[in-house]
Amino acid sequence: EEPNRKLIDREETLELKNKITSKLSDKEKVIFDLKLKGLDNKEIADLIDKDKKYVENTIFRIKKKYKELEIER
């Protein structure tokens, strides 16, 4: 049963990620994906040629959209 549980968890995670990304702008999607890959805000800022505050503000908006999704559930 353990492999089935992992599969279900993976499917639920993918479904949640898809729901979140469907609410994000293209710029937010890029930052969200980089954050999921483990990059910190400074690394993301350097990669997309923006300042760290821009990345922090974008992550704040992503979290806000996520919370709105939680309310819809």
Side-chain angles (χ1 to χ4, degrees):
E1 184 175 42
E2 185 65 29
N4 287 341
R5 183 74 229 154
K6 287 181 181 178
L7 179 61
I8 291 169
D9 288 345
R10 199 172 314 136
E11 287 173 355
E12 288 173 354
T13 301
L14 184 57
E15 182 181 334
L16 181 59
K17 182 182 179 221
N18 288 339
K19 280 183 182 179
I20 294 168
T21 55
S22 73
K23 305 281 185 187
L24 303 180
S25 71
D26 290 342
K27 290 176 184 177
E28 289 169 339
K29 286 177 188 174
V30 169
I31 291 173
F32 182 66
D33 285 337
L34 293 171
K35 197 69 176 167
L36 288 180
K37 290 179 181 170
L39 278 71
D40 67 30
N41 294 353
K42 177 75 171 111
E43 291 170 320
I44 294 170
D46 291 344
L47 213 94
I48 64 171
D49 199 29
K50 298 281 186 183
D51 62 27
K52 187 177 166 191
K53 188 67 178 167
Y54 174 88
V55 173
E56 290 169 353
N57 290 338
T58 303
I59 290 170
F60 176 81
R61 285 193 309 276
I62 291 168
K63 287 179 180 179
K64 186 176 175 188
K65 290 179 181 184
Y66 172 75
K67 287 178 185 171
E68 290 168 3
L69 263 180
E70 284 294 300
I71 292 169
E72 291 175 12
R73 285 175 132 195

